[in-house]
Amino acid sequence: MPGAGLIAPHAVPVGRFAPSPSGPLHFGSIVAAVGSCLSARHGGGRWLLRIEDVDAPRTVAGAADGILRTLERLGFEWDGPVLRQSGRTAAYRDAFERLRAGGSIFGCACTRREMADSALARDGTRRYPGTCRDGLPPGRVARAWRLRVAPGVVGFDDGVQGRVEEDVAADVGDFVLLRADGLFAYQLAVVVDDAAAGVTEVVRGADLLDSTARQIVLQRLLGYPTPAYAHLPVASNAAGEKLSKQTLARAVDGAEPARVLVDALDFLGQGPPAGLADGGTTAVWTWARANWSMARVPRRRAVPAPRYG
Ligand code: GLU
């Protein structure tokens, strides 16, 4: 049944932007910030900001503060305090223990090298072959802890990409929730944080489309509602690569703030009128809040943004 498992539309939408502080914001991140903010605000809702620093080794000192400054300069206004995942370990542990008590978690001894022959999942990670699922091989100890994924297709109706279905057990296999380095995995952190904050809509880049089914699996096991999802096209450079630190994408700080916002609106198919940037960020936000339409966002996973590549 289309839409099964989605929560009923809320009177007040709650959206969020959840950047990882691994470097300065580039144009692709601004697109996700603009889209998530306008979707929530256009519906009269709240928009939250969460710094996703759960992956401590990837966190760059000072990057979180830089992100907040960039967002302020662009005239973003978020509701409530900024949440940082680094302060949320107890909540992740609670959820993890709940899953473990329900028999959904098992210890895994496999090293990356031992899994190197395993097939690739859609997102480029290795599909877990199930080696430790029914118990650790003799003499081995658990390094990481995985979720036992039941077979079956998980589907959702994406606000931009349409119907999306994935068989998580077949495509990804039992995935890691507590990593060998003792950190909780992104998939668990996102699900726990979105539920705790009452997030009703997740608007983010299509690079995360392949994570969504895993997150829905976790929501169901933890008894959380499933938010509505909309995955925006990802900004790529002229070579078709997703803008990132690795592709040396320009930080947006060098550009004029109203211009960056208008470029993001244009990228998202909103058709901002000529000259809109001349009125500064306030004028851009006023126009954008009144005119936002998710239906106009291009249904593609990647769109070039050469100016910011
Ligand atoms: N922290 C993730 C990123 O920066 C986004 C996670 C999400 O929006 O769910 O790519």
Side-chain angles (χ1 to χ4, degrees), residues 71-93:
L71 292 175
E72 278 166 1
R73 223 167 54 83
L74 292 170
F76 283 94
E77 291 174 4
W78 51 90
D79 291 302
V82 178
L83 191 99
R84 289 179 195 248
Q85 289 186 324
S86 47
R88 299 271 301 149
T89 307
Y92 307 149
R93 183 160 298 283

Side-chain angles (χ1 to χ4, degrees), residues 161-225:
Q161 309 294 336
R163 183 76 184 160
V164 179
E165 294 189 337
E166 183 175 4
D167 184 334
V168 179
D171 188 42
V172 181
D174 302 322
F175 54 94
V176 171
L177 295 187
L178 181 53
R179 307 180 347 180
D181 61 5
L183 293 170
F184 287 104
Y186 156 73
Q187 306 292 355
L188 182 68
V190 168
V191 163
V192 170
D193 288 341
D194 283 341
V199 166
T200 66
E201 54 173 59
V202 171
V203 178
R204 58 186 177 189
D207 51 325
L208 290 159
L209 202 50
D210 292 334
S211 286
T212 306
R214 266 173 276 179
Q215 292 171 15
I216 293 175
V217 165
L218 282 170
Q219 289 153 5
R220 290 179 181 168
L221 287 168
L222 288 162
Y224 298 152

Side-chain angles (χ1 to χ4, degrees), residues 7 10-17 36 39-41 43-48 79 194 197-203 227-228:
I7 46 172
H10 275 63
V12 179
V14 181
R16 64 9 169 231
F17 176 52
S36 62
S39 176
R41 295 283 191 231
R46 291 159 47 77
W47 183 66
L48 314 176
D79 291 302
D194 283 341
V199 166
T200 66
E201 54 173 59
V202 171
V203 178

Side-chain angles (χ1 to χ4, degrees), residues 235-249:
S236 62
N237 62 18
E241 302 159 322
K242 178 196 163 207
L243 299 190
S244 69
K245 234 177 18 183
Q246 286 72 31
T247 65
L248 305 177

